[in-house]
Amino acid sequence: MPTFIFRWSEIIGIENLSEEEKQLLFPLFRIRPWANSKSLANSFDRINQAMSGNPFACDVDDWYDKERSNTGAAQELRNILQDPSYSQWYEFVRQFDNAIPCLRLDTEIENIEDALRQEWLEARGFGIVLNEYNLRYLRNALACLPNIHHNNFFVAVDMGWSRDPLQQAQQATSICVDLLRAKPDVTIFLSSSSFPVSFDNFGFGEAVNCAEYALYDEVRRQLQAVNNEYFVKYADWGTTRPPSDGGGGWIPRIDLPRGRNIRLYRRRIADDETKDEVCSAIAAEVTASDEWVTPPPSWGHYQIETTAAGGQQGIYHARKNSATRINMYLHQKLSELGALPEVTGEEPFEG
């Protein structure tokens, strides 16, 4: 279960997965207005289009500054969230059949219990997300769990971004133990992100280890030491990260996911070169390297090959590189689950 901020790169990366892969994918989207939309419904419609009608989980994007935008969708979101019980939010999500809502914990326990008594929520399923914004409301989740008399829900424990997630292992283990004691058969997804904020110190083709796996492995080890039946499922941010400050102009870069690491190929533009020429040259080096052996091929692989050939729809800006990386990473993860997509490389790029 990857978590995504609702951005162009994530949507394009998912949209270009195969239909078989989309059926296996269950992403969690942090909802914000789509572009300059007049209606918040456009966000759900865009996700539904990208997911080809398959289910997805959704929660409010707590990083989104709702007060700074004057679009119709932003105003609609502000109005919905004025209700401290969040009943308007649940009713809004309810109209989208494939959307699995996440409970809002930052309210009175009575409001959460009222939401849990709604038959449609039990029938459709729901999620509970614990992250940096609402971890102080863990007690609300623990109070509710014993009263949920079905298993059509999940809990996502999101430890956020860190380049050294092992520092978070003790806290994550403690949270998981509390959840399992409250409801021993609860499904828990442990998520984190370690994708770099800055790339200045990485050499050409250097590998970035996905430290999310180290956190997951350590927490699982600690849980099994407490009780062999304790088990959590792996989750992450799909090679993205929660919003952060910083960043400047894009230096041409192509990212190549390889299992538990990502190769970063990045080079500055010389005075006698254009950005597109540098991107094509980087892509050519990637496809000629030993790291390029990544069958079966995906849409993302074809984007790199297109760039190496100088094609117009290649990777010539940061968002396209991110979409390509996300697509390739998800493709690799879903292939492990048995998805056998048929991708020809002839699918038109849209976006």
Side-chain angles (χ1 to χ4, degrees):
M1 186 182 74
T3 295
F4 291 120
I5 295 294
F6 184 45
R7 294 175 292 207
W8 184 92
S9 298
E10 285 87 335
I11 289 295
I12 296 301
I14 290 172
E15 191 165 42
N16 285 284
L17 292 170
S18 71
E19 295 304 309
E20 294 90 341
E21 289 173 314
K22 292 177 187 179
Q23 291 173 10
L24 292 174
L25 184 67
F26 183 58
L28 166 60
F29 281 100
R30 307 306 300 265
I31 299 295
R32 61 171 64 182
W34 175 250
N36 294 317
S37 295
K38 295 181 179 180
S39 171
L40 189 62
N42 291 341
S43 296
F44 288 83
D45 292 341
R46 190 64 186 88
I47 295 173
N48 193 51
Q49 176 185 335
M51 286 292 295
S52 298
N54 290 291
F56 60 91
C58 61
D59 197 3
V60 176
D61 179 6
D62 292 308
W63 285 274
Y64 175 68
D65 189 348
K66 298 177 289 297
E67 304 305 322
R68 294 187 62 181
S69 175
N70 293 320
T71 65
Q75 181 61 53
E76 188 176 7
L77 181 59
R78 285 195 292 268
N79 293 339
I80 289 172
L81 297 181
Q82 283 180 355
D83 177 6
S85 71
Y86 293 108
S87 60
Q88 291 186 42
W89 167 248
Y90 299 132
E91 283 302 310
F92 184 83
V93 175
R94 183 179 182 180
Q95 65 184 305
F96 305 99
D97 294 338
N98 300 320
I100 310 301
C102 293
L103 294 180
R104 300 295 295 176
L105 299 178
D106 55 333
T107 184
E108 299 296 329
I109 189 68
E110 292 82 4
N111 295 327
I112 303 174
E113 292 174 344
D114 286 343
L116 290 173
R117 281 192 285 268
Q118 298 184 58
E119 293 183 1
W120 77 271
L121 197 62
E122 177 179 343
R124 185 179 298 188
F126 60 89
I128 299 173
V129 177
L130 294 164
N131 57 27
E132 61 182 284
Y133 279 96
N134 66 357
L135 191 55
R136 62 185 181 276
Y137 300 104
L138 172 62
R139 62 184 183 278
N140 285 353
L142 296 176
C144 292
L145 283 176
N147 299 320
I148 302 175
H149 304 296
H150 61 86
N151 291 311
N152 194 23
F153 75 101
F154 67 87
V155 178
V157 177
D158 185 358
M159 300 307 297
W161 183 90
S162 173
R163 286 301 298 154
D164 186 13
L166 284 178
Q167 295 180 349
Q168 306 164 316
Q170 184 173 356
Q171 182 186 21
T173 301
S174 176
I175 294 170
C176 290
V177 168
D178 287 343
L179 293 169
L180 288 161
R181 285 174 176 168
K183 190 171 178 62
D185 57 349
V186 64
T187 297
I188 301 174
F189 290 94
L190 178 62
S191 180
S192 64
S193 170
S194 64
F195 196 69
V197 174
S198 172
F199 305 93
D200 289 341
N201 296 324
F202 289 96
F204 188 83
E206 185 173 346
V208 176
N209 291 324
C210 299
E212 297 90 318
Y213 292 94
L215 172 65
Y216 170 75
D217 291 341
E218 176 60 19
V219 171
R220 184 176 178 183
R221 185 192 67 80
Q222 292 188 24
L223 288 174
Q224 289 176 331
V226 176
N227 186 323
N228 286 332
E229 296 181 0
Y230 282 176
F231 181 73
V232 296
K233 298 178 182 292
Y234 175 81
D236 58 30
W237 278 73
T239 75
T240 71
R241 59 177 180 266
S244 59
D245 296 329
W250 185 62
I251 296 174
R253 192 181 91 239
I254 290 178
D255 303 332
L256 182 63
R258 296 288 291 145
R260 292 192 174 196
N261 65 58
I262 302 170
R263 295 277 175 177
L264 303 179
Y265 297 85
R266 181 175 180 265
R267 183 162 68 81
R268 294 182 181 275
I269 304 171
D271 292 339
D272 59 345
E273 295 177 309
T274 68
K275 179 188 66 174
D276 290 5
E277 288 173 343
V278 173
C279 290
S280 293
I282 293 173
E285 292 189 60
V286 172
T287 56
S289 72
D290 293 339
E291 298 295 333
W292 183 242
V293 184
T294 52
S298 66
W299 173 84
H301 293 88
Y302 287 115
Q303 302 314 301
I304 296 179
E305 290 182 341
T306 297
T307 310
Q312 291 184 352
Q313 297 297 331
I315 303 167
Y316 303 117
H317 55 79
R319 294 194 304 167
K320 186 66 178 294
N321 177 55
S322 296
T324 298
R325 182 188 69 243
I326 292 165
N327 177 269
M328 295 175 71
Y329 178 78
L330 293 177
H331 172 79
Q332 291 176 18
K333 293 294 292 183
L334 293 168
S335 293
E336 296 173 4
L337 300 177
L340 299 175
E342 295 182 3
V343 183
T344 67
E346 300 174 355
E347 291 79 359
F349 169 73
E350 297 179 359

